[in-house]
Amino acid sequence: MSDQRTLPADLTMGAVTLDVANLDVMTAYYRDAVGLEVLAEATGTVTLGRPANVANTGAGTVVTPAKPAVLLRHSPAMRHAGPREAGLFHTAILFETRAALASAVYRTATAHPDRFTGSADHLVSEAFYFDDPEGNGVELYWDRPRDTWQWSGDRVSMASLPLDPNAFLREHLTEDELDHPTPGAVGHVHLSVGDVDTARSFYSGALGFDITAELGGQAVFMSAGGYHHHMAMNVWRSRGAGRRQPTLGLGLVDIVLPSADAVGALTERMRDHHIDVANDGQTVSLDDPWGNRLRVTATP
């Protein structure tokens, strides 16, 4: 039986909802630059991600369901967040191959050269950083194989070593990926918060993530199932931030658990910690201490 105090090992991150001022511009960015496909459109919203795939194998037909990554919600009446407020630090889009990552980096850097903010070899991954047209952070990354990650007890070794974008593109960019890009999916979400101790208490002590790395009082990284991190929180530009007011930017972070029982266990845990939740029978929604909204659902 799994530990009811922690999140299931097969947790996955769902879509990140962004409240945006210009729906057309933001849709074009995540579709044409990042390489996500439009999965659904409705009045005032666009959902982008990885489409469903049907593969014929020796064992029969295998259907991989669509995986939403970003939901854009047109909210032109909202103001932009201040630079030191809590909220989204970045949405991290994980690509399955270096070639797929290289294609996304090339397209994004070519379309928005002034929006590139850096790159790093994190030992567990290779990552490239951008800001979208409305200032939301975006990480595009590829994971090294798990058996190459180095652990010391329950802490994974991560660093920020130099990673030359041009050298990476020369080595890994292919015409096939440029012509037929492979969309990524949300691998992790990184938040700006007011203080690390409170983030640790809420996200690990109450919600149930396992801490995998810490950077003094500046940042903490957490996951389920031995991933390097599904979520992270830092105070690099938001130390001392209070509760958010409605702004453009982060609207919602979706977390997907493997079963309704797992969602029920989380709900009970929140009640034990006296944390208010909204439960409509299918999803559980709650706010972190800074008003960042989380929605937890079970795999369909």
Side-chain angles (χ1 to χ4, degrees), residues 16 18 69-70 88-93 137-140 186 188-190:
V16 171
L18 298 176
V70 176
L88 183 68
F89 189 70
H90 62 235
T91 301
I93 305 297
V138 180
E139 176 183 341
L140 309 178
V186 176
H188 66 266
V189 177
H190 199 142

Side-chain angles (χ1 to χ4, degrees), residues 75-149:
S75 307
M78 286 185 173
R79 67 175 180 87
H80 284 277
R84 300 192 63 81
E85 292 182 38
L88 183 68
F89 189 70
H90 62 235
T91 301
I93 305 297
L94 173 64
F95 293 86
E96 294 181 355
T97 67
R98 279 180 163 136
L101 171 59
S103 174
V105 170
Y106 177 82
R107 290 192 313 273
T108 305
T110 301
H112 301 271
D114 58 332
R115 292 287 181 172
F116 176 70
T117 60
S119 58
D121 180 340
H122 292 307
L123 300 181
V124 295
S125 64
E126 294 173 317
F128 299 85
Y129 297 92
F130 299 85
D131 284 339
D132 74 17
E134 295 193 4
N136 301 292
V138 180
E139 176 183 341
L140 309 178
Y141 78 112
W142 168 81
D143 276 337
R144 286 194 167 89
R146 284 200 183 202
D147 60 7
T148 68
W149 302 354

Side-chain angles (χ1 to χ4, degrees), residues 177-213:
E177 275 291 344
L178 279 176
D179 293 339
H180 307 285
T182 304
V186 176
H188 66 266
V189 177
H190 199 142
L191 302 176
S192 295
V193 299
D195 73 276
V196 169
D197 287 344
T198 301
R200 186 188 299 110
S201 177
F202 178 85
Y203 281 97
S204 180
L207 201 60
F209 280 108
D210 299 317
I211 295 174
T212 56

Side-chain angles (χ1 to χ4, degrees), residues 19-68:
D19 286 303
V20 304
N22 191 319
L23 186 60
D24 291 340
V25 167
M26 293 290 276
T27 298
Y29 177 86
Y30 284 98
R31 181 191 62 215
D32 303 334
V34 176
L36 303 176
E37 293 193 21
V38 173
L39 303 180
E41 295 183 77
T43 303
T45 66
V46 177
T47 303
L48 303 100
R50 189 167 61 199
N53 181 61
V54 179
N56 294 313
T57 69
T61 301
V62 177
V63 179
T64 303
K67 188 167 179 56

Side-chain angles (χ1 to χ4, degrees), residues 226-281:
Y227 191 54
H228 53 72
H229 66 294
H230 286 111
M231 294 199 73
M233 306 90 209
N234 76 65
V235 297
W236 294 325
R237 62 190 184 202
S238 56
R239 187 182 296 276
R243 191 172 179 85
R244 297 177 60 200
Q245 301 302 310
T247 64
L248 295 170
L250 181 63
L252 185 68
V253 175
D254 273 309
I255 299 172
V256 183
L257 303 187
S259 68
D261 286 345
V263 176
L266 180 142
T267 303
E268 290 301 317
R269 195 159 60 246
M270 294 302 97
R271 288 172 180 160
D272 290 344
H273 286 271
H274 307 290
I275 294 170
D276 292 333
V277 301
N279 188 341
D280 65 6

